Amino acid sequence: MKCPQCGQWNRASLPHCQKCGAPLDQSEAQLPSWKTTLRDDQKGKEYIRVDEDGDASPTPDSRDALAREMAELKHRKSQGSRVQREMRRESAERGSAPSSMTIRTHASVDTFWSVEDNPRSTVRIKRAGQKNDEDTSRTHHVNTAWQDSRSYAPLWEEQEMYGTWQLPQNTQFTGKLPSRSRGLRHIVRILTIIIMVCLLGLTVFFGNNYFKDRYEAAKELNKPSVTASIKDDLAAHTILIPGEDGQQIYIRELHTSYIVTGGFATVEVADHIWYDEITDYVGETMDVTLTPFVKTSGGQQKPMDLITYQISIPLSPITMNSPDGLRTEVATAMYSMNFTVRPGSTVYINDEDVSDTVDSEDGDFTYNATVQPIGDNDFVVRVRSQYCRENSMTITLYREPQEIPLDLSADTYSTTNSKAIEIRATTLPGATVEVLSPHSDLNVTELDVTGAFSFYAVFDHYGDNTVTITASYPGKKTSTVEYNIYYIPNQDEYTPKAWPLNASGYSELLANNVARTEKNQIYVAVGTIAEIVSEKPQMAIMYTSEDGKSQPVLLENFTKTTWKLGEYYRIYGDANGTYSSMPRLSARYTYW
């Protein structure tokens, strides 16, 4: 619309000009021409679908059909609502009871509900004794089917999408409207009571737990406490017994009295006292009990609660150095087993006491086991160390059964400093004996009579040398015996032969390693252990240069000393190949 004053164009629905504020003449506003072109019943959109043969077919849009159905449903709903209102009005004029009516009651009055011509307007009967003639006449006019001398009052009015329902003009309102919040208040009151009951129950519950916990805590404070501790570097337990300062508490099992100081008597008990005297089997744990008494002022002893706790009993330590496993196959009549236990331990092997062979300093000992050619030979090792329970292990040495018996003498050495030693053995009389390892002076003069023979084993290299003997007899399977003897000269003979691993010696060893290994050339390595490669067998790397940063050499420990990382040593050993491009020595003697 164009403003008559300033000529500004404005929307037709605006009462004033947006620019100058002058009033606009709404009578001149006309319906836009484009609105006349709109049609609700126009055909909806269609989709043209073309198949693989090129045939096209129109397909209507299902959303248009849904929109039309929703518009039609809305129209039918509006029409049906109007028809129902008209039917209820006609029924009321004929005196019929209205349909779909809700009868509501109230505790303070005797009431029923009805309407005149509108089911949405509900009226209430007035109290008895409050009616008059005018009320009576108007009440008759409301509904002749339900004649009553009491007047009616409307309950509520309802706004709907189709209009506003009002109370009929011929209906009189008397009395107070019943509050809709009365039922809500009743529900709130019930909920409040329930919440209060729950809160009271929770208060009682948590209060009971609180005082119960306080009681238990106070009760625990009056009980002795037991904690694990250490006494003289051994496992122990410390017991705190509550009491009054100055009181004396006597422990029957310990035959000792303790004074209460600072509210407690402190008792330290070493765990081993409970099982030191037990010689038979002891389990992993043990339950022990102390019986305390408190001395009264009259000199009497009043018993206190028993103190019971559990202790753990450690196993006696034992380390098997050889063989490498609990089951080993051997071909010798004699096999050396080596162990390490705690110094001073009692050791039994197959019930034979060998405690006197245990080294008093490092606990190392060696046992030469006689292995019969019967298959499995079991050796049970039992160790009992101080303050420990007995520990045991079973080692099985398997030796193949022999048709021709062949055994070495029981006093055959397993280690020697001599380059050759005498070996004595026995076999089946009349058998043929052959020594396959380096030897000399084979004596078989008694072989045909007693089966005894002897020879000297010659050792051609340092370390383990295997002595191999065979015995054969017509019609029987040949028997073979192999026996390892560790040969190393004593230090006075061995160490003077050593070459220094200085710059030139190190280069020469790398260049001629194979030849030096074959000749068992001895070297001396001086320096600090820079790295521990393995613990069993112990292998370490040492830098032999003067600055300690180059010329690495791998040392395999065959000495009686266990090397420590970062320690300085002078080590003698013989060439034994290479390891990761560095020389390898079998160490025989260690000096600090």
Side-chain angles (χ1 to χ4, degrees):
M1 177 180 294
K2 186 176 182 180
C3 177
Q5 183 173 341
C6 64
Q8 174 71 25
W9 285 95
N10 299 275
R11 291 175 56 184
S13 59
L14 296 178
H16 298 279
C17 178
Q18 290 182 340
K19 183 176 181 181
C20 63
L24 301 177
D25 186 6
Q26 297 293 331
S27 61
E28 296 181 2
Q30 298 180 358
L31 185 67
S33 60
W34 58 268
K35 287 190 176 182
T36 61
T37 63
L38 298 178
R39 296 291 185 269
D40 292 338
D41 56 349
Q42 289 181 351
K43 187 177 181 181
K45 296 180 180 179
E46 291 185 349
Y47 293 94
I48 305 300
R49 303 184 183 275
V50 180
D51 58 16
E52 59 183 4
D53 297 329
D55 297 334
S57 60
T59 302
D61 191 354
S62 59
R63 293 176 295 181
D64 291 340
L66 179 62
R68 287 194 300 272
E69 292 177 359
M70 292 179 64
E72 182 182 356
L73 179 61
K74 182 177 180 181
H75 177 71
R76 290 172 57 191
K77 182 177 179 181
S78 176
Q79 289 291 97
S81 179
R82 285 195 292 270
V83 171
Q84 288 181 358
R85 289 198 297 272
E86 183 65 24
M87 292 176 64
R88 284 195 293 268
R89 187 184 64 77
E90 292 176 358
S91 297
E93 291 177 354
R94 292 194 302 267
S96 302
S99 61
S100 302
M101 297 305 302
T102 301
I103 305 300
R104 304 184 181 181
T105 63
H106 195 275
S108 60
V109 295
D110 181 16
T111 62
F112 75 91
W113 306 84
S114 181
V115 296
E116 181 180 1
D117 61 348
N118 188 356
R120 295 292 183 181
S121 300
T122 306
V123 297
R124 184 183 66 181
I125 302 177
K126 293 178 56 179
R127 292 177 180 272
Q130 295 181 356
K131 59 182 181 295
N132 48 41
D133 295 339
E134 184 180 357
D135 299 334
T136 304
S137 61
R138 290 183 178 181
T139 303
H140 269 289
H141 183 68
V142 171
N143 194 338
T144 56
W146 297 336
Q147 296 183 1
D148 199 325
S149 61
R150 293 171 293 182
S151 61
Y152 296 82
L155 177 63
W156 52 277
E157 296 180 355
E158 181 177 0
Q159 295 288 339
E160 288 190 354
M161 61 181 292
Y162 303 107
T164 303
W165 292 99
Q166 301 291 341
L167 186 69
Q169 296 181 359
N170 59 349
T171 302
Q172 180 182 3
F173 169 74
T174 306
K176 296 182 179 180
L177 287 174
S179 174
R180 297 176 103 190
S181 64
R182 183 172 299 172
L184 180 61
R185 289 198 301 270
H186 183 64
I187 296 175
V188 172
R189 187 180 299 112
I190 294 176
L191 291 177
T192 303
I193 295 174
I194 293 175
I195 292 174
M196 292 180 65
V197 172
C198 293
L199 291 176
L200 180 60
L202 291 175
T203 302
V204 173
F205 175 76
F206 288 110
N208 179 61
N209 287 345
Y210 172 77
F211 288 109
K212 183 179 179 180
D213 292 342
R214 290 289 299 272
Y215 173 76
E216 294 294 336
K219 187 177 179 181
E220 289 294 330
L221 289 176
N222 293 325
K223 284 186 176 182
S225 64
V226 181
T227 56
S229 60
I230 299 294
K231 182 180 181 182
D232 298 331
D233 296 331
L234 296 173
H237 280 79
T238 299
I239 301 98
L240 298 179
I241 305 175
E244 298 180 1
D245 288 356
Q247 283 184 331
Q248 290 188 14
I249 296 179
Y250 175 75
I251 307 296
R252 176 188 295 173
E253 290 75 10
L254 305 180
H255 309 289
T256 308
S257 295
Y258 300 86
I259 304 298
V260 177
T261 303
F264 295 94
T266 304
V267 182
E268 288 186 338
V269 185
D271 290 351
H272 65 84
I273 69 170
W274 301 102
Y275 55 84
D276 273 347
E277 304 299 328
I278 301 177
T279 57
D280 54 355
Y281 174 79
V282 179
E284 297 181 3
T285 60
M286 177 184 292
D287 293 326
V288 299
T289 302
L290 293 176
T291 309
F293 295 87
V294 59
K295 292 184 178 181
T296 63
S297 57
Q300 297 179 347
Q301 291 185 351
K302 180 181 178 181
M304 304 177 69
D305 293 338
L306 298 178
I307 302 173
T308 301
Y309 60 96
Q310 189 178 79
I311 62 173
S312 298
I313 306 174
L315 275 172
S316 298
I318 178 174
T319 302
M320 182 176 64
N321 301 319
S322 67
D324 294 332
L326 295 178
R327 180 179 177 83
T328 303
E329 184 174 350
V330 300
T332 62
M334 192 76 61
Y335 188 86
S336 296
M337 297 188 293
N338 183 262
F339 304 89
T340 301
V341 297
R342 182 177 295 174
S345 299
T346 301
V347 181
Y348 289 88
I349 297 182
N350 285 352
D351 297 329
E352 178 187 356
D353 190 352
V354 294
S355 305
D356 56 342
T357 64
V358 177
D359 191 285
S360 60
E361 295 183 0
D362 57 13
D364 186 81
F365 74 96
T366 299
Y367 178 76
N368 294 320
T370 301
V371 186
Q372 301 292 337
I374 57 174
D376 289 344
N377 292 258
D378 294 332
F379 298 89
V380 180
V381 183
R382 295 186 295 112
V383 180
R384 178 69 184 269
S385 302
Q386 189 178 20
Y387 310 137
C388 298
R389 56 191 171 101
E390 184 177 280
N391 193 3
S392 65
M393 64 171 58
T394 299
I395 301 171
T396 300
L397 300 179
Y398 175 82
R399 184 181 175 190
E400 185 179 0
Q402 297 177 344
E403 294 184 12
I404 303 173
L406 177 60
D407 293 304
L408 300 181
S409 175
D411 59 358
T412 305
Y413 292 109
S414 60
T415 62
T416 182
N417 298 125
S418 302
K419 190 169 181 62
I421 62 172
E422 184 182 13
I423 303 295
R424 291 180 286 110
T426 58
T427 185
L428 184 68
T432 302
V433 174
E434 186 176 1
V435 181
L436 303 181
S437 57
H439 67 285
S440 65
D441 301 328
L442 176 61
N443 185 359
V444 293
T445 56
E446 299 293 329
L447 181 61
D448 293 337
V449 179
T450 63
F453 64 96
S454 65
F455 62 93
Y456 280 86
V458 178
F459 309 121
D460 56 359
H461 62 274
Y462 303 130
D464 288 331
N465 289 259
T466 302
V467 177
T468 305
I469 310 170
T470 64
S472 58
Y473 194 88
K476 295 182 179 295
K477 184 179 179 181
T478 300
S479 298
T480 302
V481 169
E482 293 181 346
Y483 186 69
N484 291 328
I485 299 177
Y486 182 81
Y487 161 66
I488 191 70
N490 58 47
Q491 55 188 358
D492 295 336
E493 180 183 352
Y494 185 85
T495 57
K497 299 178 182 179
W499 291 2
L501 271 181
N502 49 25
S504 59
Y506 186 84
S507 301
E508 195 277 338
L509 176 58
L510 280 178
N512 304 283
N513 189 272
V514 175
R516 298 296 175 242
T517 301
E518 290 178 354
K519 293 182 178 181
N520 293 136
Q521 180 58 51
I522 303 171
Y523 291 88
V524 55
V526 180
T528 301
I529 299 298
E531 180 183 348
I532 301 296
V533 178
S534 67
E535 294 291 345
K536 186 179 180 182
Q538 189 179 36
M539 301 175 68
I541 295 176
M542 173 187 287
Y543 292 97
T544 59
S545 62
E546 293 183 0
D547 59 0
K549 298 181 179 179
S550 60
Q551 298 177 197
V553 60
L554 180 74
L555 302 172
E556 185 174 3
N557 194 355
F558 290 97
T559 71
K560 295 182 179 181
T561 302
T562 301
W563 301 328
K564 296 181 180 179
L565 188 66
E567 292 290 334
Y568 184 87
Y569 299 104
R570 186 172 75 256
I571 300 173
Y572 291 85
D574 45 90
N576 189 19
T578 60
Y579 174 85
S580 297
S581 301
M582 69 179 74
R584 175 173 178 169
L585 301 180
S586 297
R588 308 300 180 181
Y589 294 99
T590 298
Y591 298 91
W592 286 270

